[in-house]
Amino acid sequence: MFLTGDEVKKICMQRFIKIDGKVRTDITYPTGFMDVISIEKTGEHFRLIYDVKGRFTVHRITAEEAKYKLCKVKKIIIGTKGIPHLVTHDARTIRYPDPLIKVNDTVRIDLETGKITEFIKFDTATCDGKLGRCQIGFVSVSSTQPGAPPPAPSTWCTGQETPPRHHLHTRLSNIFVIGKGNKPWVSLPRGKGIRLTIAEERDKRIAAKATSG
């Protein structure tokens, strides 16, 4: 664990830190949602992801999971000489994507080659992570709401638990597909995307104290 800024600078300058498979020596280099941080010297790997309270958390992952990241498709454009390009949420530009990939789909990118290995269509009954305001970090299964106007598409989302307790209504731009059905393609931090109410958190703490005492 780094205790001071000087320690951070020394470790980065020794080229121990990799972000998305590339060595970064700039201590102010920005990282964002779904980025993979690797420290090969210690064999540790982390993914930057939201917890259920909407806070960025550094989630420890396995070496196998650190080989890829998920990216949301933001744009599909035709470039020079008619070459199709795909632009992801982290500003990657990938040429010649699969014609079946559309905007709002999620692609799985191999960090070593930078190529798309798999993709998830944005559809109902997909496992989604929420990125909008109070819904950040909430993981659910989506279904479309009939009658939503085209400029502001909406989705009804039901929590992973059985039977479902949480329902939320959010805009399409707030949704990031992270898996198929109810199986996410990335491991999730504590809570597994299910946000408890204040009363439920209190009951959980009381139960934990009762069992430990």
Side-chain angles (χ1 to χ4, degrees):
M1 183 176 179
F2 314 143
L3 299 178
T4 65
D6 193 46
E7 284 184 11
V8 172
K9 187 179 291 186
K10 287 178 180 177
I11 289 168
C12 287
M13 293 307 293
Q14 291 180 75
R15 304 177 69 84
F16 289 151
I17 306 298
K18 285 187 175 182
I19 298 175
D20 287 347
K22 294 184 180 179
V23 174
R24 303 294 181 185
T25 57
D26 182 3
I27 63 172
T28 61
Y29 185 83
T31 55
F33 184 60
M34 286 290 171
D35 282 356
V36 175
I37 303 164
S38 301
I39 310 173
E40 291 192 341
K41 186 83 172 178
T42 60
E44 294 176 298
H45 305 277
F46 307 90
R47 189 183 302 281
L48 202 59
I49 199 167
Y50 290 114
D51 65 9
V52 291
K53 294 189 177 180
R55 303 169 298 197
F56 265 128
T57 182
V58 181
H59 175 57
R60 190 183 297 270
I61 58 176
T62 63
E64 189 64 31
E65 190 181 332
K67 293 179 181 178
Y68 66 88
K69 71 179 292 188
L70 302 184
C71 293
K72 180 178 179 178
V73 179
K74 303 296 284 186
K75 265 194 294 190
I76 294 180
I77 55 177
I78 303 297
T80 309
K81 298 182 181 179
I83 298 174
H85 292 73
L86 172 153
V87 182
T88 63
H89 79 280
D90 60 350
R92 290 172 185 265
T93 301
I94 301 172
R95 294 169 21 128
Y96 298 109
D98 189 312
L100 295 177
I101 299 174
K102 304 297 180 187
V103 174
N104 295 318
D105 292 351
T106 293
V107 294
R108 177 170 165 169
I109 294 178
D110 186 307
L111 294 178
E112 187 175 350
T113 63
K115 294 182 178 179
I116 297 172
T117 55
E118 291 183 78
F119 65 93
I120 313 170
K121 297 294 294 178
F122 177 79
D123 200 356
T124 56
T126 52
C127 187
D128 308 324
K130 303 298 169 290
L131 306 180
R133 297 187 180 180
C134 62
Q135 291 91 26
I136 291 178
F138 188 88
V139 175
S140 61
V141 178
S142 67
S143 59
T144 57
Q145 178 192 4
S154 302
T155 301
W156 277 106
C157 302
T158 306
Q160 286 184 317
E161 63 273 27
T162 305
R165 294 182 292 111
H166 298 98
H167 297 267
L168 76 96
H169 185 204
T170 189
R171 296 171 69 93
L172 181 61
S173 58
N174 294 339
I175 297 175
F176 190 114
V177 181
I178 60 172
K180 292 182 179 179
N182 59 356
K183 295 181 180 178
W185 280 9
V186 294
S187 60
L188 299 174
R190 185 176 63 180
K192 304 299 180 185
I194 301 173
R195 184 170 183 174
L196 302 177
T197 63
I198 295 175
E200 289 169 336
E201 287 182 353
R202 179 203 59 201
D203 294 341
K204 190 176 180 180
R205 284 196 302 270
I206 293 173
K209 285 183 180 178
T211 54
S212 61

